[in-house]
Amino acid sequence: MNKKLKTLYIIWYREVLIYLRNSVKFFTSIFLPILILVFFGAGLKTMFPVSILNCDFVQFFFPGILGLSISIMAISSTMSIVWDREFGFLKEILVSPISRSSIILGKILGATTTALIQGALILLIIPYLGIDFSKFLFIKAMLIIFLISYGVAALGILLVSRLKKMESFSIISQLIFAPMAFLSGAFFPLNNAPAWMAKMAFYNPLNYGIDALRWVILSESLLKEEISLITSHSLFLCVVVLLGFNLLITFLSTRVFNKSIY
Amino acid sequence: MSDLSVKGEQIEENQNNILEVIQVENLKKRYKRIIALDGVSFSVKKGEVFGLLGPNGAGKTTTINILCTLSQPNSGVAYVNGYNVIHQSNAVRNSIGLVFQETILDNHLTAEENLYLHAMLYGVSRKEYLQRKRELLKFCELWDKRKVRVETFSGGMKRRLELIRALIHWPQILFLDEPTIGLDPQTRRKIWDYIFTLRKKKNITIFLTTQYLSEAENCDRIAILNQGIIVALDSPENLKKVIGEDIIFLKTDDNQVAEREFQAKFPNYSIKWIGKELRVKVDNGDKFLPILVKAITPRIISIELRRPTLEDVFLEITGRKIRDNN
């Protein structure tokens, strides 16, 4: 067990080291969400007056953009596995005497960590958006970010563990991830959406993630009744669904990866 | 798989007494319709430099992949360091070091970081890692570059770093899959110098594949692989003896007449068409050459006497050149 933890650590360490070394990726991962918040936020705000939304548009918009940013970060970090395979590095890992499941967990946690770093930095701009901030809120938000990015990263691993080419990754991410993002409730509240859309969103784990972020981040600014108007599910349900999804997807991705050789 | 590796550890004491560190019996591997290996058997002795030769697509990399547990055979058995490659794959992985055909390094990371990650994956203790890192980096003249990112390295430097990485966990057997491919002759020689010096120092067994026959001359034994079958296996000297002591290449105005005359006058020697030239195998080339020149009537365009090389052996056995561009 100790040895497994050690390998897990080293795979994780490599992922994080490569992320931090890649300064361009590091910078854009912070810059882009802020850009979206400033421009999209200011632009869309005019279309959602307070009378419709019950709250300031940025308050509604921020948790959604945060959730999507960290999800994109997590899923694109798992792309390193395709990269590793294409450039052969996966062989170097697979030929070493370590268990496959530690490779998987190390990869997932590595991707999760990159998302957590990004999430933490984005959370720091909360006070400048007119949302009330506290240390406790930060910790709670980080926990939710962990749950979301872990699930998305594990899903990413499941999708890419058989891929041989970089190009296939963008197809997969568009085909699977884009609908998840649009139906997550990040851009518009889903409780007023058409029934078919709400039904589809019901099966979208990202929807629960975004809702959970909204509950936590707005907890000090809005009343519970106000938050429930812009979310579809309760915080408790969100956390349960996220946990269940993460367990299931970890199990699946480990199984699929064990079967793929290199 | 893990409980089997425990069994492997229990018989570890016997591992040091093994004389044949690689044993392969009747290995077969098929990729859909292509037969990559069609019943390959051989064994490698401890401390030996064993070379696997063959043209592209002969099955060299397939063999290495099976021995390194990256791929599984359809049938047959293989033991590396006394462990079964299928059932005790973790024990096998612990005993071997690998330099792949393609360069596999983390380009964003420094030389040192690349080594550190590898050492950790193989469970090398920190103290041993530091000591070996120092020794190997200094030996391969990369010590000054240890904190430099790999992306700035030249091809030769990358190869040396890969060699160091493959050795940092002190493997029993070092697998080198075309270790000098794509390098210039000078760098190639240097890489081999390192490999052979290290081998003497550490008494490791080396299993290599190469297309450069001049490099294969350094092996203790060579197996020639052609279309998934081992067609010859011996020391380079013995293999060359098959060809004979000396060979003469002859080109004349009329090779057909020359061939007929030769066969009539010297029925003990064999003569064979190689492209547009005639090849004669003889025992005592320098004395035979003047006799040959007098015995043949067509005008001689060119004549060459030389000792056989492995290239000639390869040509003789497989009927084609090892690196055929056609």
Side-chain angles (χ1 to χ4, degrees):
Chain A
M1 195 58 210
N2 187 22
K3 193 167 178 262
K4 274 195 175 180
L5 278 177
K6 214 171 159 187
T7 7
L8 200 153
Y9 162 73
I10 205 73
I11 300 277
W12 170 86
Y13 176 73
R14 174 173 174 262
E15 292 292 306
V16 176
L17 202 60
I18 288 172
Y19 167 68
L20 293 176
R21 277 298 150 76
N22 195 340
S23 45
V24 178
K25 193 178 172 189
F26 183 72
F27 181 70
T28 49
S29 71
I30 314 295
F31 186 65
L32 197 64
I34 294 177
L35 211 64
I36 292 175
L37 268 177
V38 171
F39 291 109
F40 257 85
L44 288 174
K45 193 176 181 172
T46 55
M47 296 174 71
F48 293 96
V50 179
S51 57
I52 296 178
L53 211 54
N54 299 314
C55 67
D56 187 44
F57 181 71
V58 173
Q59 291 177 331
F60 168 78
F61 202 44
F62 176 77
I65 292 302
L66 172 66
L68 285 190
S69 303
I70 55 140
S71 302
I72 291 170
M73 189 70 215
I75 204 163
S76 65
S77 289
T78 60
M79 195 170 70
S80 72
I81 224 169
V82 192
W83 196 278
D84 284 350
R85 179 180 282 122
E86 202 168 328
F87 292 99
F89 199 85
L90 201 59
K91 250 201 225 174
E92 150 82 6
I93 294 177
L94 290 180
V95 85
S96 57
I98 62 179
S99 81
R100 298 281 159 101
S101 48
S102 357
I103 301 178
I104 280 290
L105 278 178
K107 283 265 176 198
I108 295 176
L109 289 174
T112 309
T113 307
T114 61
L116 280 172
I117 296 173
Q118 188 203 23
L121 290 171
I122 297 177
L123 279 177
L124 292 179
I125 65 170
I126 284 189
Y128 305 98
L129 297 173
I131 300 171
D132 291 330
F133 188 63
S134 71
K135 274 183 203 155
F136 187 51
L137 182 151
F138 180 82
I139 293 167
K140 279 193 293 181
M142 286 300 277
L143 283 174
I144 301 294
I145 291 176
F146 175 81
L147 286 180
I148 300 173
S149 52
Y150 181 97
V152 174
L155 179 69
I157 299 275
L158 175 68
L159 296 176
V160 303
S161 57
R162 296 258 175 133
L163 289 188
K164 295 239 156 75
K165 287 264 177 319
M166 285 300 243
E167 296 86 63
S168 351
F169 181 79
S170 61
I171 297 171
I172 288 276
S173 64
Q174 278 170 34
L175 225 57
I176 309 256
F177 189 70
M180 277 178 73
F182 295 143
L183 288 175
S184 67
F187 302 109
F188 46 85
L190 281 165
N191 29 15
N192 298 328
W196 61 270
M197 205 183 222
K199 209 170 189 179
M200 282 172 83
F202 181 77
Y203 295 103
N204 179 9
L206 204 51
N207 181 216
Y208 295 85
I210 302 280
D211 270 3
L213 272 180
R214 242 171 225 148
W215 278 106
V216 167
I217 287 174
L218 301 177
S219 59
E220 318 229 332
S221 313
L222 300 175
L223 297 171
K224 272 194 177 141
E225 293 73 36
E226 289 174 315
I227 302 176
S228 65
L229 288 174
I230 51 169
T231 50
S232 319
H233 316 284
S234 71
L235 179 60
F236 177 74
L237 179 67
C238 289
V239 172
V240 169
V241 168
L242 286 175
L243 279 172
F245 177 74
N246 288 357
L247 278 176
L248 176 74
I249 209 81
T250 307
F251 172 73
L252 285 178
S253 55
T254 318
R255 278 201 66 166
V256 170
F257 188 75
N258 274 345
K259 280 185 195 160
S260 72
I261 306 284
Y262 71 88
Chain B
M1 221 179 274
S2 54
D3 48 359
L4 278 162
S5 67
V6 173
K7 266 185 219 160
E9 276 159 27
Q10 284 165 355
I11 52 165
E12 186 118 46
E13 288 162 29
N14 306 328
Q15 301 300 317
N16 295 329
N17 308 326
I18 293 175
L19 291 175
E20 295 186 332
V21 284
I22 301 176
Q23 287 167 290
V24 172
E25 260 168 63
N26 205 18
L27 224 49
K28 287 183 183 174
K29 176 75 183 176
R30 203 181 307 112
Y31 295 109
K32 285 176 186 153
R33 284 195 190 150
I34 304 159
I35 295 171
L37 295 179
D38 196 10
V40 165
S41 308
F42 62 87
S43 60
V44 178
K45 293 182 201 119
K46 199 180 175 83
E48 189 172 40
V49 179
F50 188 90
L52 194 59
L53 288 192
N56 282 334
K60 290 175 305 218
T61 302
T62 305
T63 311
I64 281 213
N65 279 350
I66 290 174
L67 292 178
C68 297
T69 74
L70 277 174
S71 168
Q72 294 201 346
N74 294 113
S75 69
V77 283
Y79 289 90
V80 171
N81 203 24
Y83 301 112
N84 187 307
V85 293
I86 299 167
H87 304 300
Q88 296 166 301
S89 49
N90 257 348
V92 171
R93 289 176 193 152
N94 255 323
S95 337
I96 61 173
L98 250 163
V99 176
F100 300 97
Q101 213 176 92
E102 58 274 36
T103 309
I104 298 174
L105 290 164
D106 266 327
N107 276 325
H108 296 304
L109 306 185
T110 67
E112 218 170 33
E113 284 164 344
N114 268 288
L115 295 180
Y116 175 69
L117 289 176
H118 182 92
M120 288 291 284
L121 285 179
Y122 283 80
V124 178
S125 77
R126 185 156 182 84
K127 197 181 148 204
E128 283 173 315
Y129 158 69
L130 291 174
Q131 179 210 329
R132 289 172 197 174
K133 178 183 79 175
R134 199 183 173 83
E135 180 190 342
L136 289 167
L137 280 172
K138 284 203 166 152
F139 177 73
C140 288
E141 295 165 66
L142 281 175
W143 179 251
D144 297 336
K145 298 272 182 188
R146 65 188 189 280
K147 298 215 184 286
V148 178
R149 286 197 200 179
V150 172
E151 57 198 351
T152 64
F153 278 24
S154 70
M157 285 159 75
K158 283 184 180 171
R159 264 287 120 115
R160 274 182 281 165
L161 183 60
E162 287 189 306
L163 191 62
I164 298 173
R165 184 179 63 184
L167 289 168
I168 205 125
H169 58 282
W170 277 178
Q172 305 279 317
I173 305 149
L174 182 61
F175 285 90
L176 306 166
D177 194 2
E178 314 229 358
T180 54
I181 203 161
L183 299 176
D184 61 88
Q186 207 189 340
T187 317
R188 261 160 53 192
R189 193 153 357 103
K190 221 168 175 186
I191 296 269
W192 284 115
D193 279 349
Y194 291 131
I195 291 174
F196 284 106
T197 319
L198 281 170
R199 174 224 171 189
K200 264 183 209 148
K201 266 171 120 177
K202 306 293 174 198
N203 190 32
I204 40 179
T205 311
I206 293 179
F207 183 97
L208 63 95
T209 72
T210 180
Q211 293 189 2
Y212 298 109
L213 290 160
S214 55
E215 295 179 345
E217 307 258 357
N218 299 320
C219 297
D220 296 322
R221 283 192 310 146
I222 293 170
I224 295 180
L225 195 61
N226 192 35
Q227 291 171 343
I229 299 167
I230 289 192
V231 285
L233 201 169
D234 216 325
S235 65
E237 294 71 37
N238 286 343
L239 283 175
K240 281 186 270 187
K241 274 181 197 153
V242 176
I243 298 265
E245 286 287 301
D246 290 318
I247 44 178
I248 295 170
F249 282 97
L250 181 72
K251 197 176 178 185
T252 65
D253 268 351
D254 191 340
N255 278 353
Q256 271 164 352
V257 175
E259 186 188 11
R260 241 178 289 126
E261 285 178 356
F262 184 92
Q263 278 165 343
K265 282 176 185 164
F266 312 103
N268 292 336
Y269 295 133
S270 81
I271 187 163
K272 199 174 175 183
W273 282 82
I274 302 286
K276 286 176 181 171
E277 294 179 322
L278 290 167
R279 193 194 64 190
V280 182
K281 289 192 256 181
V282 289
D283 295 330
N284 225 330
D286 34 0
K287 290 201 176 113
F288 184 74
L289 200 58
I291 305 170
L292 176 70
V293 172
K294 274 182 205 155
I296 283 173
T297 47
R299 197 173 63 87
I300 293 168
I301 297 168
S302 69
I303 191 158
E304 184 199 357
L305 165 73
R306 60 178 169 88
R307 309 272 301 165
T309 63
L310 280 175
E311 183 83 52
D312 299 312
V313 176
F314 196 81
L315 200 62
E316 174 81 12
I317 293 172
T318 66
R320 55 175 168 155
K321 289 198 169 175
I322 190 157
R323 273 176 295 151
D324 218 339
N325 291 328
N326 302 327

